[in-house]
Amino acid sequence: MEDRMDEKQELKFHQMTETPVSRLICRLALPCIISMLVTSFYNMADTFFVGMLKSNSATGAVGVVFSLMAIIQAVGFFFGHGSGNFISRELGKQNYQEASNMASTGFFSALAAGVLICVLGQIFLQPLAMLLGSTNTILPYTKAYLQVILLGAPWMTSSLVLNNQLRYQGSAAYAMVGITSGAVLNILLDPLLIFTFGLGVAGAAWATIVSQFISFCLLLSGCARGGNLRIHISHLQLKLPYYIQIIRGGLPSLARQGLASVATICLNRAAGPYGDAAIAAMGVVQRIMMFGGSAMIGFGQGFQPVCGFNYGAKLYHRVKEGFWFCVKASTLFLLAVSSLGLLFAPQLIALFRDDPDVVLIGSSALRFQCVTLCLSGWIVMSNMMLQTIGKTAGATFLAMSRQGVFFIPLVYILSVTLGLLGVELTQAASDVLTLLCAVPIQLRALRELDSLARQQ
């Protein structure tokens, strides 16, 4: 059995380091793109079906709790990317035992963190709802949705770890099966629980956590197939060096996702004075933009294992080739997506909440964000490469910039100076400032790769 496992891992190593880069990235990216699109679609499903309740407060509650889900995701991505980056580099060096130990350490650590979030969230439910940006009119809906979502935190965090570890091993197809199966189930359960069983906004939350649990089970079973690293508690390493590696690889993701949650809270608070319609509109725009960029992110996820394996194998020219290929392809794709968003903004908003005020506010915000969407190609691919090769400082700064360093102060400054228009403009302004930082940081990293190649 061990010999067969070693043969499969050896074969995977040769595939990752010898297959032409563009073909390899496209092959690995396809299941990632499908996973991201389906995941984004079912993230929007709650907003879509709750919007059919004809309540701005209920729709707003989904947007408010979205920031808590971003925190849960931040924890999952922290352990998933932190362990996954290390795993891909170690597999590139053919250090299979170290990679296996890290896989189990990342998984069980995320599971424990999810339990902690669940317990603390239930204890402080109402203060947490208000902290997330809920208004008094939205509060009952927020609590109903939030209380259920918290129950799923343990397997939501650990599912993200499994998903990312499988991707970083070059087994994106197994990750796709787990993620898409849960997503499809969520879309089917939403109308059943919300309308047929009359659970309202709480039904959307139950649909989410049940589907996430199914994903968790499928992802865990995927770890026992195809030469992937198996998860076993005997491989858990409660040792500082492993957690240092998780911090190095996962800090950018924690910063990015954590600040995305803080940014959503700040956005809800800035939009709050303009009524529930404004909060609902900005929540809808967030979901649409996430869907619009999800294929691009999935494409970048196909690049990450290629980047990690080849960096670990000291094939630096393949890392650079993959980066430039991904930047060009993603920028062209985002130009096409943003054009559609500019043309059909009112229709897209109306799909989720056909309220005149929500459509008016949401259309303006969506169009502003579409103008700068194409900048995300360079920003995201730079961040992914820096994080995968262990450039923690640069990766963390870029991860913090778009929805933290720039977004958080801008949402308050622009909302005070320009009112609701300022709230709508914030993300676009933040994107421009982030790109101005991302260009020199990434060019420096590319020059360092050239230097390493010359030293060989």
Side-chain angles (χ1 to χ4, degrees):
M1 180 66 74
E2 287 296 325
D3 289 340
R4 288 183 61 192
M5 183 70 69
D6 289 343
E7 287 176 11
K8 290 180 179 179
Q9 290 172 339
E10 188 72 22
L11 176 62
K12 185 179 291 185
F13 171 81
H14 287 294
Q15 290 175 338
M16 297 295 287
T17 56
E18 296 172 7
T19 305
V21 169
S22 57
R23 192 200 318 165
L24 180 60
I25 290 174
C26 290
R27 193 187 78 200
L28 294 175
L30 181 60
C32 293
I33 291 170
I34 293 171
S35 296
M36 288 300 301
L37 286 172
V38 174
T39 299
S40 296
F41 189 71
Y42 95 80
N43 278 337
M44 294 192 299
D46 283 359
T47 304
F48 176 79
F49 287 112
V50 170
M52 294 174 67
L53 293 171
K54 303 299 181 184
S55 168
N56 284 344
S57 296
T59 305
V62 175
V64 167
V65 178
F66 183 66
S67 56
L68 184 276
M69 293 181 71
I71 292 173
I72 294 172
Q73 289 173 351
V75 174
F77 282 129
F78 171 70
F79 289 105
H81 286 163
S83 59
N85 285 317
F86 179 82
I87 286 168
S88 68
R89 293 196 300 271
E90 292 304 302
L91 290 176
K93 299 172 186 176
Q94 298 181 289
N95 293 337
Y96 300 123
Q97 187 58 54
E98 284 294 297
S100 182
N101 290 343
M102 179 59 84
S104 294
T105 302
F107 171 78
F108 286 109
S109 298
L111 187 65
V115 171
L116 184 62
I117 291 171
C118 174
V119 172
L120 292 177
Q122 297 290 353
I123 293 172
F124 302 104
L125 187 66
Q126 182 157 328
L128 177 59
M130 298 303 293
L131 178 65
L132 295 175
S134 179
T135 62
N136 288 329
T137 51
I138 292 176
L139 184 60
Y141 299 96
T142 302
K143 288 172 66 177
Y145 191 75
L146 179 60
Q147 189 171 28
V148 179
I149 288 294
L150 284 166
L151 296 175
W155 55 83
M156 289 167 74
T157 53
S158 47
S159 289
L160 287 168
V161 172
L162 296 173
N163 176 40
N164 283 287
Q165 287 182 354
L166 286 168
R167 283 197 307 102
Y168 277 104
Q169 293 176 67
S171 296
Y174 289 99
M176 179 191 70
V177 170
I179 293 296
T180 55
S181 299
V184 170
L185 181 61
N186 186 88
I187 294 166
L188 295 174
L189 286 176
D190 260 336
L192 182 68
L193 297 180
I194 294 171
F195 304 111
T196 305
F197 287 92
L199 296 178
V201 70
W206 279 110
T208 297
I209 70 165
V210 169
S211 63
Q212 289 275 2
F213 182 72
I214 299 300
S215 287
F216 168 78
C217 295
L218 291 172
L219 288 166
L220 193 59
S221 69
C223 294
R225 301 168 184 266
N228 294 315
L229 301 172
R230 296 175 181 239
I231 303 297
H232 198 281
I233 197 164
S234 64
H235 294 162
L236 173 64
Q237 303 290 317
L238 299 177
K239 298 176 181 178
L240 184 60
Y242 285 88
Y243 286 98
I244 289 174
Q245 290 297 331
I246 288 175
I247 292 169
R248 286 187 62 194
L251 187 59
S253 296
L254 181 64
R256 178 174 55 251
Q257 292 294 128
L259 284 174
S261 177
V262 175
T264 302
I265 294 169
C266 294
L267 183 64
N268 289 333
R269 289 183 175 274
Y274 305 100
D276 290 355
I279 295 177
M282 297 311 296
V284 169
V285 171
Q286 280 185 307
R287 299 298 176 100
I288 292 174
M289 291 305 295
M290 179 180 293
F291 183 77
S294 61
M296 181 267 297
I297 293 172
F299 191 67
Q301 288 176 344
F303 166 58
Q304 284 181 299
V306 178
C307 178
F309 265 83
N310 287 281
Y311 187 80
K314 300 184 178 181
L315 299 172
Y316 305 118
H317 66 284
R318 287 173 61 85
V319 176
K320 282 188 63 179
E321 185 183 346
F323 169 76
W324 285 113
F325 172 71
C326 288
V327 167
K328 292 172 186 176
S330 61
T331 300
L332 288 173
F333 171 76
L334 291 174
L335 282 170
V337 171
S338 58
S339 299
L340 294 174
L342 286 167
L343 288 172
F344 301 107
Q347 293 89 338
L348 289 170
I349 301 297
L351 281 174
F352 298 92
R353 187 73 187 98
D354 193 11
D355 176 271
D357 291 334
V358 173
V359 172
L360 181 64
I361 297 168
S363 297
S364 296
L366 181 59
R367 281 176 169 147
F368 285 133
Q369 291 189 36
C370 283
V371 170
T372 59
L373 180 62
C374 62
L375 306 182
S376 298
W378 180 279
I379 294 168
V380 171
M381 297 306 163
S382 298
N383 192 269
M384 286 182 168
M385 190 190 112
L386 292 169
Q387 185 174 1
T388 303
I389 66 176
K391 299 288 184 183
T392 307
T396 302
F397 177 77
L398 288 186
M400 293 172 63
S401 296
R402 186 172 181 266
Q403 291 190 299
V405 173
F406 297 124
F407 185 95
I408 292 172
L410 279 174
V411 75
Y412 287 114
I413 293 169
L414 294 180
S415 64
V416 169
T417 56
L418 300 176
L420 181 57
L421 176 63
V423 177
E424 296 168 349
L425 274 168
T426 299
Q427 187 62 71
S430 180
D431 287 347
V432 173
L433 293 174
T434 302
L435 180 71
L436 293 176
C437 294
V439 169
I441 290 173
Q442 180 62 9
L443 289 178
R444 179 181 177 183
L446 293 172
R447 286 194 297 269
E448 288 180 2
L449 288 181
D450 288 335
S451 177
L452 288 170
R454 286 193 297 269
Q455 291 171 19
Q456 287 183 297

